[in-house]
Amino acid sequence: MSQPCNKLFLFLDGELPPVDEENFRHHLARCGMCASGLHEAMQLEMLGFQALGRDGLPPDEDVASEASEPVWPAPAWPRPPSRAERWWSRWRPTWRVPAWWVVAGALALGVALLGVALPRWREAPREVWVARPSQRGLEARVAYARADGYQRFVPMRGGARAAVVSPLPLRELAGLEERGDLHGIAAAYLVRGDWRQASDFLRRMPASADRDCDLAVVALEQGRLEDALDLLEGVLREVPDHPQALWNRALVLRDMGLTLQAAESFDAVVKLGEAGWSEEAKVRAQALRSETRLRSRAFQDARAAALDLGTVEGARVPLEEARRFPGVVRLAFYDAVRAAPSRDAVLRLLPLAQVLDEVQGGTMLRDTVERVARADFQRRGPLSRDYARLLRGELSSADTFLERLRRSGEEDLYLGALVALNVEDAFLEDFVRVARGSQDPWLVLLAERELSVREEREGRWWKAEQRLRAALSSCSGRGLAYRCATLKRRLVDLFVRLHRPADALEEARAGWRMTRDMGEWNLELQFLQEMAQIARYRHSAASARAYLRESLSRSPDDCEQRTYVHRNLATVAWADFRPSEARAELELASRCGRPLGIPGAWVLSYLSRFGAEQRDEDVLRRTLAELRRGPLTAGEHAALTFLEGQFLLERERTSGRELLRAAIDAADRLPPDDVDARKARNFAYGALVGDAGRALAHEQVLTLMGQALRRTVPDRCVLAVAADYERTVVAVRDASGALAGAYDDQRTSPLHGQAAGLVPDRFVAALRGCEHVDVFALPPIHGLPGLLPPDVAWSYRVGTSSAARVEPQSSLAVGRHLVVTDVAAPRSLGLEQLVPLASPRVPDPLRVELRGAAATPSRVLREMADAREIELHTHGLLSPELADASLLVLAPEEDGQYALTAAQVRSQSLSGAPLVLLAACGAARTAPFLHESVSLPVAFIEAGARTVLAATTDIPDSAGQFFEAVRKRVRAGERPSKALRDERLAWLAREPAAAWPAHVLLFE
């Protein structure tokens, strides 16, 4: 008899304690698993339920009386017949049947039993995935089928969760884990809001669309909206009609403020026709559209009424609109005062001035009306009428009118005409003089904005930033909120142009919230587009597309908007390795006949690699000519030269190479802080390296890489690697100086932060004979882990931002040893306290320690200035809101500032040429920029460090010992790369499963 069957017979015989029905079913199923147990299972099916009082034959009085007697301990042998035996003897059939009938019947019944009863026994009840009996508390949808039954959504309030959510059925979860149903367990945690446990189980699953959909739910609930959107875009690319992904994408877009895009995603759910879900999706989509259209209509009506004041005689004075939308009404108020042709027409605006003054406080606008009303309208009246015609676009000779105003002494009309004609920059001195002379904060802030534009164009971007920050600090009050928002948008635009997406993101989010609260629809649209540019620079393609498409949904009939959106969508598609989609977006962008701008020229230039038509060349030349006629900086001119050279490189190689060299020469003549010049230079070198690699000119590849990094290329033991979109170029010199190389143009996706596999195995083998390998790499490879295996001693060579070179001092030179440990990080970050680094056994007189609250960013920067060795043992974070690359968490300053960023380090001069150990999680993570490497290690090198050690991944607390051991090896005279390699191998010998040591990189 099989063991499970034997257990059940023993139970029925009273030799084992009673079991409940669930356990009985479990053992019965196992009993019927094998052919030898089928007949026994049939008997037990009848006997067991009768003994349990369920669905069997009614028990007789003897059986019932015995059931109340104790069954443990078991009766001694010999024993009387058991209940089962007595029952079987009473009901045993008296006829005889052939044995094979019994076997056949047993098999048939057993198979039926396994096919019907067993699945029911093994399935967990639905309550496992229903947190509340009649309604759902999780707004998102879970991609596990049994957790996705429709229930009405009722959000939880306050601390009601514990009272209404059913507890986790741990016994059922254990059964799910035993069967390997990790998704079922994750779903149970998801519906109960345990995001950490849900995430842990989801990440243990194999990759799938359903898994990523539920990981997106975790990201959504944790507020990581961009991560959630990226995951959902990937799911929908694989399964376009994935119902849960469509629903959850709508929630993410709604929380991002992209209401019309969210409504479209809900529409897609409606089309699936799912009971309950489609009906709720329809209601949600309608609500989102209605709310958005009401906001748009209210703003547009207020704006139209305000503009009518200056262009339509006798137009209604929009007093109520002024209370709700003081910004756009005040913007039009100035033009209305200027266009008023008589004293009565001006005084008619006094109630509007008083309402606007009430919003801001003070009497500035009422005083303006009263002052203008005292003017000589026999002289001013004709000028005001012409000003109204200028606003309506009916004035034939704007230049003549502008000169009349300049000489008239009517300074407010003159300033208004400069703005209306968009010639503030050409008459900036006059503009600033008049604006400041008015003593009106609105106009003064406008002058500061225009001065910042001039300063940026002249290359004094730091002055522009200082001016805008100062203006914003003085900008307060609801009446000035519109002007404050335009200043913030100007600052965001400056940061975008300077390629500082972290700074831009902080200001853009603040401006986005501000304009939504104000209801200023047009400014909100502008911040939408700024957010799209920032997302594009951060390589968040899904977010960039969402912001751009939302902006288009809000103004679908505006041809200028359509051109802008589609040409930028083309750049996003290109960066996402979708050349066909990029070309299609360019086609849509060109339908309005508007200029394609730099984004369009960029995509056309790169599309030439995949076959360019004559039409492409015509459009590119036309676009470049239009751009060159406009106001461009020297760096932008160099960038356009690069784009033209790259396009021609595929058609006329000699001409293309000459233009690329011209772009490099132009960039080298410009200051190193010119972002456009840096982009032109590095991208041009990337194109030349790719061209040399394609020609298998390996010596030329090495030469170009040395020129790009401004470093001398060694005669042996050197590896050069470059990745330019689909092209990968590798060149090596081994220990004997033998040269080899490879070229590949088949890459179809970004590198995703990992360089493993880029260097062919034969080149790795050739470099194993080297004591040390110098790696010359261009972005985006520079700083990535995995380029060479752990048993090779190597380092990334860091280039300089200018032709000046700093010769490293001897690694054995004596100097101060700065150690930062036991940092008192802000409690608000919720970081665990790290184990302090132990003091050395032998006292080190040159050792300086910063601990606890003393380890602030400013103090650490001061102490680093002349140190020869620097160890930073603290937490590392990657926060797009605070920095473009990883940052180090230090003790907070008085103002709360706790982050040590790459920008702060780069601005510090490290005169001691120190060895720097960054013992922090992910301290070597680089910003995802294609034109330059931005990271803490690179910043330390640029500040004067000779060597930097840092990890690109999270590291355990024990890693401090690893970094300290490497430092001791270097101090003892070992080359840093060899010290790192040997300590890494020693660590892996002790902990073979450790993965992080391979992610510790060396920069020199």
Side-chain angles (χ1 to χ4, degrees), residues 189-379:
Y189 282 114
L190 274 177
V191 299
R192 289 168 176 80
D194 191 334
W195 317 125
R196 185 184 65 80
Q197 289 277 27
S199 178
D200 288 346
F201 279 99
L202 287 169
R203 294 189 185 282
R204 288 168 55 187
M205 293 172 54
S208 69
D210 285 351
R211 185 203 69 163
D212 287 352
C213 181
D214 285 350
L215 282 173
V217 174
V218 175
L220 165 63
E221 295 297 336
Q222 292 177 337
R224 296 182 291 111
L225 300 181
E226 285 195 353
D227 293 341
L229 191 60
D230 282 337
L231 285 164
L232 293 169
E233 289 271 308
V235 172
L236 292 170
R237 197 172 298 132
E238 182 181 344
V239 186
D241 291 332
H242 196 288
Q244 294 86 8
L246 288 169
W247 179 278
N248 295 338
R249 181 175 181 271
L251 298 182
V252 173
L253 292 168
R254 179 205 61 190
D255 287 358
M256 292 174 70
L258 309 181
T259 50
L260 295 181
Q261 286 293 291
E264 286 187 18
S265 199
F266 277 128
D267 288 342
V269 177
V270 173
K271 292 178 182 177
L272 298 178
E274 299 173 286
W277 295 112
S278 289
E279 289 78 4
E280 185 177 331
K282 184 176 182 180
V283 172
R284 286 173 175 268
Q286 290 173 343
L288 287 168
R289 283 199 178 90
S290 176
E291 181 267 338
T292 307
R293 287 169 179 164
L294 284 174
R295 288 198 305 114
S296 172
R297 188 180 303 122
F299 171 81
Q300 300 295 354
D301 288 348
R303 181 172 181 268
L307 291 176
D308 285 348
L309 283 175
T311 56
V312 178
E313 189 173 349
R316 175 178 64 88
V317 178
L319 299 181
E320 188 57 40
E321 289 87 344
R323 294 184 178 91
R324 184 174 177 185
F325 302 100
V328 71
V329 174
R330 183 167 181 169
L331 189 67
F333 165 81
Y334 290 101
D335 277 337
V337 171
R338 295 161 187 152
S342 66
R343 181 174 184 276
D344 290 341
V346 174
L347 290 175
R348 179 172 172 267
L349 299 173
L350 188 58
L352 181 59
Q354 291 171 334
V355 169
L356 292 172
D357 278 340
E358 289 172 6
V359 172
Q360 176 63 26
T363 61
M364 175 60 66
L365 299 185
R366 185 184 67 186
D367 294 346
T368 297
V369 169
E370 292 175 349
R371 175 180 54 77
V372 172
R374 294 192 295 268
D376 179 2
F377 277 91
Q378 286 193 350
R379 184 170 56 84

Side-chain angles (χ1 to χ4, degrees), residues 40 76 194 237 294 316 370 428 486 506 549 602 632 713 785 819:
E40 296 152 2
D194 191 334
R237 197 172 298 132
L294 284 174
R316 175 178 64 88
E370 292 175 349
L428 189 59
T486 61
E506 179 184 4
R549 287 171 179 162
W602 176 276
L632 291 175
V713 180
V819 178

Side-chain angles (χ1 to χ4, degrees), residues 716-736:
R716 61 187 185 85
C717 293
V718 62
L719 167 66
V721 190
D724 185 16
Y725 201 69
E726 85 288 3
R727 298 173 175 175
T728 304
V729 177
V730 179
V732 298
R733 279 200 184 111
D734 63 15
S736 65

Side-chain angles (χ1 to χ4, degrees), residues 7-16 24 43-44 46-52 82-85:
K7 285 185 177 180
L8 291 183
F9 273 114
L10 289 174
F11 151 65
L12 293 174
D13 287 345
E15 295 190 32
L16 286 179
F24 178 81
Q43 297 178 47
L44 290 166
M46 298 172 67
L47 295 175
F49 284 130
Q50 185 252 358
L52 291 166
S82 69
R83 292 174 296 168
E85 291 168 337

